[in-house]
Amino acid sequence: MLDDADDIHPLFYGAPKTTEFKKLRKRIVQNTREAIDQYGMIEEGAKWLVCLSGGKDSYTLLAVLHELQWRGLLPVEILACNLDQGQPGFPATVLPKFLEDMGVPHRIEYQDTYSIVMDKVPEGRTFCALCSRLRRGNLYRIAREEGCSAVVLGHHRDDILETFLMNMFHGSRLATMPPKLVNEEGDLFVYRPLAHVAEVDCEKFASSMGYPIIPCDLCGSQDGLQRQQVKAMLDQWETNAPGRRQKMFRALMNTRPSHLLDPSIFDFKGLTRTTSADENDDT
């Protein structure tokens, strides 16, 4: 059974009444609120540019932020934004119609970054880095034009874990996508409110709500991407030891610089003993 149109926001019209879905919805809202509070994302009266790609993650982000706003727990203005990057076959009418039907303030921007990526990236190389850089530059510009203080992205817990492992395996560094950062120019925040939300929860939520999912055919058309390989590895670990992803994620929140090897974050040379062995020798 589906609800009648009596939920707290049109984005939740038709939400399933099942106990399972209610628990899922509550978990996503709690996880998102936890991240927003823990990383200090709220500036009262601010305006957020919430980026909507048409994937399951960005739909989940949009819905949960509107629920928090509706409940008075997110005192910011929300402007949804889709950047149409000119990919052939992209269903350009889907998101504008969805946002209009849901009564969500939005901006649709067309910029043909697809042609630039196809022209600049050598054959056999992956598109992701250049595509992401061009997309981010346009989103920063739009945020400034709209008077927004933050660009809000739909990266979830699993994206953060995958990025951490990719940096470790391929970049020789311990780093990932933080839930909150300031852009290089110093004038915009970048937030990831779904940082504590599992990908499987986003998938279940968007599917249960029947949101019109738009796949990224540009990235999905390439085989052997590093992220796909890391995702497959994490899937195997999770199958062998359920809960492994969450333990790994918690480890990112529980670092001990003195038990790593980076002298720039811990003064190993300055370590001293409180007493010598001879001073403690009573024999």
Side-chain angles (χ1 to χ4, degrees), residues 250-262:
R250 288 295 174 187
L252 293 177
M253 302 169 66
N254 186 28
T255 58
R256 299 184 180 182
S258 64
H259 287 57
L260 295 174
L261 283 75
D262 188 347

Side-chain angles (χ1 to χ4, degrees), residues 10 79-80 100 110-111 134 204 217-218 240:
L79 178 68
E100 288 166 10
Y110 178 81
Q111 292 290 331
L134 293 171
K204 289 178 181 177
D217 293 329
L218 180 61
N240 294 340

Side-chain angles (χ1 to χ4, degrees), residues 163-165 167-169 171-176 252 255 259-262 265:
T163 302
F164 173 75
L165 291 176
N167 279 325
M168 183 169 65
F169 295 154
S172 300
R173 62 183 180 274
L174 297 181
T176 188
L252 293 177
T255 58
H259 287 57
L260 295 174
L261 283 75
D262 188 347
I265 61 173

Side-chain angles (χ1 to χ4, degrees), residues 214-271:
I214 301 172
C216 178
D217 293 329
L218 180 61
C219 296
S221 65
Q222 293 187 286
D223 295 325
L225 294 178
Q226 294 173 0
R227 187 170 294 273
Q228 292 174 347
Q229 296 170 3
V230 169
K231 184 184 291 288
M233 182 179 67
L234 284 169
D235 286 342
Q236 186 61 52
W237 285 351
E238 188 71 22
T239 298
N240 294 340
R244 178 66 58 84
R245 273 189 170 94
Q246 186 60 14
K247 288 182 179 179
M248 293 177 65
F249 179 77
R250 288 295 174 187
L252 293 177
M253 302 169 66
N254 186 28
T255 58
R256 299 184 180 182
S258 64
H259 287 57
L260 295 174
L261 283 75
D262 188 347
S264 69
I265 61 173
F266 186 81
D267 184 13
F268 292 99
K269 288 185 176 180
L271 274 179

Side-chain angles (χ1 to χ4, degrees), residues 97-127:
K97 183 179 186 307
F98 173 81
L99 293 168
E100 288 166 10
D101 290 346
M102 296 296 107
V104 174
H106 62 277
R107 172 170 169 175
I108 305 296
E109 178 86 5
Y110 178 81
Q111 292 290 331
D112 185 11
T113 63
Y114 172 83
S115 296
I116 299 174
V117 170
M118 298 305 292
D119 179 62
K120 298 295 185 183
V121 177
E123 185 175 354
R125 301 288 296 274
T126 57
F127 306 136

Side-chain angles (χ1 to χ4, degrees), residues 109-168:
E109 178 86 5
Y110 178 81
Q111 292 290 331
D112 185 11
T113 63
Y114 172 83
S115 296
I116 299 174
V117 170
M118 298 305 292
D119 179 62
K120 298 295 185 183
V121 177
E123 185 175 354
R125 301 288 296 274
T126 57
F127 306 136
C128 298
L130 179 58
C131 181
S132 176
R133 191 159 60 249
L134 293 171
R135 181 172 62 250
R136 191 68 59 87
N138 276 290
L139 292 173
Y140 288 167
R141 172 183 57 81
I142 295 167
R144 296 182 184 109
E145 291 173 359
E146 295 291 344
C148 297
S149 60
V151 172
V152 185
L153 306 175
H155 296 124
H156 45 65
R157 180 200 70 180
D158 297 66
D159 288 324
I160 291 172
L161 272 180
E162 290 161 15
T163 302
F164 173 75
L165 291 176
M166 288 170 62
N167 279 325
M168 183 169 65

Side-chain angles (χ1 to χ4, degrees), residues 12 19 23 26 28 47-48 92 112 118 123 125-126 159 169 172 185 190 197 201 207 209 221 267 280:
F12 288 91
T19 300
K23 288 181 178 179
K26 181 179 180 181
I28 292 174
K47 185 177 181 180
W48 287 6
D112 185 11
M118 298 305 292
E123 185 175 354
R125 301 288 296 274
T126 57
D159 288 324
F169 295 154
S172 300
E185 294 78 8
V190 177
V197 178
D201 282 352
S207 176
M209 290 304 305
S221 65
D267 184 13
N280 285 329

